[in-house]
Short mmCIF file of all heavy atoms in Angstrom, two decimals:
data_model
loop_
_atom_site.label_atom_id
_atom_site.label_comp_id
_atom_site.label_asym_id
_atom_site.label_seq_id
_atom_site.Cartn_x
_atom_site.Cartn_y
_atom_site.Cartn_z
N ASN B 72 -18.10 7.91 160.76
CA ASN B 72 -19.01 8.54 161.71
C ASN B 72 -19.37 9.93 161.18
O ASN B 72 -18.69 10.46 160.29
CB ASN B 72 -18.40 8.57 163.13
CG ASN B 72 -17.23 9.52 163.22
OD1 ASN B 72 -17.34 10.70 162.89
ND2 ASN B 72 -16.09 9.03 163.70
N PRO B 73 -20.44 10.52 161.67
CA PRO B 73 -20.91 11.80 161.12
C PRO B 73 -19.87 12.92 161.12
O PRO B 73 -19.80 13.70 160.16
CB PRO B 73 -22.10 12.16 162.03
CG PRO B 73 -22.59 10.85 162.53
CD PRO B 73 -21.36 10.00 162.68
N ILE B 74 -19.06 13.01 162.15
CA ILE B 74 -18.04 14.07 162.21
C ILE B 74 -16.99 13.86 161.11
O ILE B 74 -16.61 14.79 160.41
CB ILE B 74 -17.36 14.12 163.60
CG1 ILE B 74 -18.40 14.40 164.69
CG2 ILE B 74 -16.24 15.13 163.63
CD1 ILE B 74 -19.10 15.73 164.58
N ASP B 75 -16.55 12.61 160.95
CA ASP B 75 -15.57 12.30 159.90
C ASP B 75 -16.17 12.55 158.51
O ASP B 75 -15.47 13.03 157.61
CB ASP B 75 -15.08 10.86 160.02
CG ASP B 75 -14.14 10.67 161.19
OD1 ASP B 75 -13.57 11.67 161.67
OD2 ASP B 75 -13.98 9.51 161.63
N LYS B 76 -17.44 12.23 158.34
CA LYS B 76 -18.11 12.51 157.06
C LYS B 76 -18.08 14.01 156.77
O LYS B 76 -17.78 14.43 155.66
CB LYS B 76 -19.55 12.01 157.06
CG LYS B 76 -19.69 10.54 156.83
CD LYS B 76 -21.16 10.14 156.78
CE LYS B 76 -21.26 8.63 156.68
NZ LYS B 76 -22.63 8.15 156.64
N LEU B 77 -18.42 14.80 157.78
CA LEU B 77 -18.44 16.24 157.61
C LEU B 77 -17.08 16.78 157.18
O LEU B 77 -16.97 17.55 156.24
CB LEU B 77 -18.90 16.91 158.92
CG LEU B 77 -18.99 18.43 158.89
CD1 LEU B 77 -20.03 18.90 157.89
CD2 LEU B 77 -19.31 18.96 160.28
N PHE B 78 -16.03 16.35 157.87
CA PHE B 78 -14.69 16.82 157.53
C PHE B 78 -14.22 16.29 156.18
O PHE B 78 -13.54 17.00 155.44
CB PHE B 78 -13.69 16.47 158.64
CG PHE B 78 -13.76 17.41 159.80
CD1 PHE B 78 -14.42 17.04 160.97
CD2 PHE B 78 -13.20 18.68 159.73
CE1 PHE B 78 -14.50 17.92 162.04
CE2 PHE B 78 -13.29 19.56 160.79
CZ PHE B 78 -13.93 19.19 161.95
N THR B 79 -14.61 15.07 155.84
CA THR B 79 -14.25 14.51 154.55
C THR B 79 -14.93 15.28 153.42
O THR B 79 -14.32 15.59 152.40
CB THR B 79 -14.60 13.01 154.48
OG1 THR B 79 -13.93 12.34 155.56
CG2 THR B 79 -14.16 12.40 153.17
N ILE B 80 -16.19 15.63 153.63
CA ILE B 80 -16.92 16.43 152.63
C ILE B 80 -16.28 17.80 152.50
O ILE B 80 -16.07 18.30 151.39
CB ILE B 80 -18.41 16.54 153.01
CG1 ILE B 80 -19.10 15.18 152.80
CG2 ILE B 80 -19.11 17.63 152.19
CD1 ILE B 80 -20.49 15.10 153.38
N LYS B 81 -15.96 18.42 153.62
CA LYS B 81 -15.32 19.73 153.59
C LYS B 81 -14.01 19.67 152.81
O LYS B 81 -13.74 20.51 151.95
CB LYS B 81 -15.06 20.23 155.00
CG LYS B 81 -14.34 21.57 155.06
CD LYS B 81 -13.79 21.80 156.46
CE LYS B 81 -12.73 22.84 156.52
NZ LYS B 81 -11.47 22.49 155.89
N ASP B 82 -13.19 18.67 153.09
CA ASP B 82 -11.91 18.52 152.39
C ASP B 82 -12.13 18.27 150.90
O ASP B 82 -11.41 18.82 150.06
CB ASP B 82 -11.10 17.37 152.99
CG ASP B 82 -10.59 17.69 154.39
OD1 ASP B 82 -10.57 18.88 154.78
OD2 ASP B 82 -10.20 16.74 155.10
N PHE B 83 -13.13 17.44 150.56
CA PHE B 83 -13.42 17.14 149.17
C PHE B 83 -13.82 18.40 148.41
O PHE B 83 -13.30 18.69 147.33
CB PHE B 83 -14.54 16.09 149.08
CG PHE B 83 -15.05 15.86 147.69
CD1 PHE B 83 -14.32 15.11 146.78
CD2 PHE B 83 -16.26 16.40 147.29
CE1 PHE B 83 -14.79 14.91 145.49
CE2 PHE B 83 -16.74 16.21 146.01
CZ PHE B 83 -15.99 15.46 145.10
N VAL B 84 -14.76 19.14 148.96
CA VAL B 84 -15.23 20.35 148.28
C VAL B 84 -14.11 21.38 148.19
O VAL B 84 -13.92 22.02 147.16
CB VAL B 84 -16.49 20.92 148.97
CG1 VAL B 84 -16.88 22.26 148.39
CG2 VAL B 84 -17.64 19.94 148.87
N THR B 85 -13.35 21.53 149.25
CA THR B 85 -12.23 22.47 149.24
C THR B 85 -11.23 22.09 148.16
O THR B 85 -10.75 22.94 147.41
CB THR B 85 -11.53 22.51 150.62
OG1 THR B 85 -12.48 22.92 151.59
CG2 THR B 85 -10.37 23.47 150.62
N TYR B 86 -10.91 20.80 148.06
CA TYR B 86 -9.97 20.34 147.04
C TYR B 86 -10.54 20.58 145.64
O TYR B 86 -9.86 21.07 144.75
CB TYR B 86 -9.66 18.85 147.21
CG TYR B 86 -8.83 18.30 146.09
CD1 TYR B 86 -7.46 18.53 146.04
CD2 TYR B 86 -9.42 17.58 145.05
CE1 TYR B 86 -6.68 18.05 144.99
CE2 TYR B 86 -8.66 17.10 143.99
CZ TYR B 86 -7.30 17.34 143.97
OH TYR B 86 -6.54 16.88 142.92
N TYR B 87 -11.81 20.26 145.46
CA TYR B 87 -12.43 20.39 144.15
C TYR B 87 -12.48 21.84 143.68
O TYR B 87 -12.37 22.12 142.50
CB TYR B 87 -13.84 19.80 144.18
CG TYR B 87 -14.21 19.18 142.86
CD1 TYR B 87 -13.90 17.85 142.59
CD2 TYR B 87 -14.81 19.92 141.87
CE1 TYR B 87 -14.22 17.29 141.38
CE2 TYR B 87 -15.13 19.37 140.65
CZ TYR B 87 -14.82 18.06 140.42
OH TYR B 87 -15.12 17.51 139.20
N LEU B 88 -12.66 22.75 144.61
CA LEU B 88 -12.73 24.17 144.27
C LEU B 88 -11.44 24.90 144.62
O LEU B 88 -11.44 26.10 144.85
CB LEU B 88 -13.92 24.82 144.99
CG LEU B 88 -15.29 24.25 144.64
CD1 LEU B 88 -16.36 24.91 145.49
CD2 LEU B 88 -15.60 24.40 143.17
N LYS B 89 -10.34 24.17 144.61
CA LYS B 89 -9.06 24.72 145.07
C LYS B 89 -8.65 25.99 144.34
O LYS B 89 -8.03 26.86 144.92
CB LYS B 89 -7.96 23.67 144.94
CG LYS B 89 -7.68 23.22 143.53
CD LYS B 89 -6.68 22.08 143.50
CE LYS B 89 -6.57 21.48 142.13
NZ LYS B 89 -7.69 20.69 141.69
N SER B 90 -9.00 26.09 143.07
CA SER B 90 -8.59 27.29 142.34
C SER B 90 -9.65 28.38 142.39
O SER B 90 -9.48 29.44 141.81
CB SER B 90 -8.31 26.92 140.88
OG SER B 90 -9.47 26.40 140.27
N GLU B 91 -10.73 28.10 143.12
CA GLU B 91 -11.83 29.05 143.18
C GLU B 91 -11.46 30.25 144.05
O GLU B 91 -11.05 30.11 145.17
CB GLU B 91 -13.06 28.35 143.76
CG GLU B 91 -14.28 29.22 143.86
CD GLU B 91 -14.50 29.73 145.26
OE1 GLU B 91 -14.11 29.09 146.20
OE2 GLU B 91 -15.08 30.83 145.37
N SER B 92 -11.54 31.43 143.43
CA SER B 92 -11.45 32.64 144.24
C SER B 92 -12.88 32.90 144.69
O SER B 92 -13.81 32.28 144.20
CB SER B 92 -10.92 33.80 143.40
OG SER B 92 -11.83 34.13 142.37
N SER B 93 -13.09 33.78 145.59
CA SER B 93 -14.46 33.99 146.06
C SER B 93 -15.32 34.69 145.02
O SER B 93 -16.53 34.66 145.09
CB SER B 93 -14.45 34.80 147.36
OG SER B 93 -13.87 36.05 147.13
N SER B 94 -14.70 35.29 144.03
CA SER B 94 -15.46 36.09 143.08
C SER B 94 -16.36 35.33 142.12
O SER B 94 -17.42 35.83 141.77
CB SER B 94 -14.52 36.98 142.27
OG SER B 94 -13.65 36.20 141.48
N PRO B 95 -16.02 34.12 141.63
CA PRO B 95 -16.85 33.54 140.59
C PRO B 95 -18.30 33.35 140.96
O PRO B 95 -19.19 33.70 140.20
CB PRO B 95 -16.21 32.17 140.31
CG PRO B 95 -14.84 32.28 140.80
CD PRO B 95 -14.90 33.27 141.93
N PHE B 96 -18.56 32.80 142.14
CA PHE B 96 -19.93 32.52 142.52
C PHE B 96 -20.67 33.79 142.92
O PHE B 96 -21.84 33.94 142.66
CB PHE B 96 -19.98 31.45 143.60
CG PHE B 96 -19.44 30.15 143.11
CD1 PHE B 96 -18.18 29.72 143.48
CD2 PHE B 96 -20.15 29.40 142.20
CE1 PHE B 96 -17.67 28.53 142.99
CE2 PHE B 96 -19.65 28.21 141.69
CZ PHE B 96 -18.40 27.78 142.09
N TYR B 97 -19.96 34.71 143.55
CA TYR B 97 -20.61 35.97 143.90
C TYR B 97 -20.88 36.80 142.66
O TYR B 97 -21.83 37.57 142.62
CB TYR B 97 -19.76 36.75 144.90
CG TYR B 97 -19.77 36.09 146.26
CD1 TYR B 97 -18.67 35.42 146.75
CD2 TYR B 97 -20.92 36.12 147.04
CE1 TYR B 97 -18.70 34.79 147.98
CE2 TYR B 97 -20.97 35.49 148.27
CZ TYR B 97 -19.84 34.83 148.74
OH TYR B 97 -19.89 34.21 149.95
N SER B 98 -20.07 36.62 141.62
CA SER B 98 -20.32 37.38 140.39
C SER B 98 -21.59 36.89 139.69
O SER B 98 -22.17 37.61 138.90
CB SER B 98 -19.13 37.28 139.43
OG SER B 98 -19.00 35.99 138.90
N CYS B 99 -22.03 35.66 140.01
CA CYS B 99 -23.28 35.14 139.44
C CYS B 99 -24.49 35.55 140.26
O CYS B 99 -25.62 35.49 139.78
CB CYS B 99 -23.23 33.63 139.35
SG CYS B 99 -22.28 33.04 137.97
N LYS B 100 -24.25 35.92 141.51
CA LYS B 100 -25.36 36.29 142.36
C LYS B 100 -26.12 37.46 141.74
O LYS B 100 -25.53 38.38 141.21
CB LYS B 100 -24.84 36.68 143.76
CG LYS B 100 -25.93 36.85 144.78
CD LYS B 100 -25.35 37.09 146.14
CE LYS B 100 -26.49 37.21 147.12
NZ LYS B 100 -26.05 37.46 148.47
N ASN B 101 -27.40 37.37 141.79
CA ASN B 101 -28.28 38.40 141.21
C ASN B 101 -28.14 38.51 139.69
O ASN B 101 -28.45 39.52 139.12
CB ASN B 101 -28.03 39.78 141.85
CG ASN B 101 -28.28 39.77 143.34
OD1 ASN B 101 -29.18 39.08 143.81
ND2 ASN B 101 -27.48 40.49 144.08
N THR B 102 -27.60 37.45 139.07
CA THR B 102 -27.49 37.40 137.62
C THR B 102 -28.47 36.35 137.13
O THR B 102 -28.50 35.25 137.64
CB THR B 102 -26.07 37.03 137.18
OG1 THR B 102 -25.16 38.00 137.69
CG2 THR B 102 -25.95 36.96 135.68
N THR B 103 -29.24 36.68 136.14
CA THR B 103 -30.18 35.73 135.57
C THR B 103 -29.46 34.96 134.48
O THR B 103 -28.96 35.54 133.54
CB THR B 103 -31.39 36.45 134.99
OG1 THR B 103 -31.97 37.25 136.01
CG2 THR B 103 -32.40 35.46 134.47
N LEU B 104 -29.42 33.64 134.65
CA LEU B 104 -28.80 32.81 133.60
C LEU B 104 -29.86 32.15 132.78
O LEU B 104 -30.90 31.84 133.11
CB LEU B 104 -27.88 31.75 134.23
CG LEU B 104 -26.62 32.28 134.87
CD1 LEU B 104 -25.84 31.12 135.50
CD2 LEU B 104 -25.76 32.98 133.87
#
Side-chain angles (χ1 to χ4, degrees):
N72 69 55
I74 300 298
D75 287 340
K76 281 183 186 179
L77 181 63
F78 280 102
T79 303
I80 290 169
K81 177 196 162 291
D82 291 343
F83 171 77
V84 173
T85 300
Y86 174 78
Y87 213 89
L88 299 177
K89 63 186 171 288
S90 61
E91 181 259 332
S92 65
S93 61
S94 64
F96 296 105
Y97 289 107
S98 69
C99 281
K100 190 174 181 180
N101 300 324
T102 301
T103 304
L104 291 178

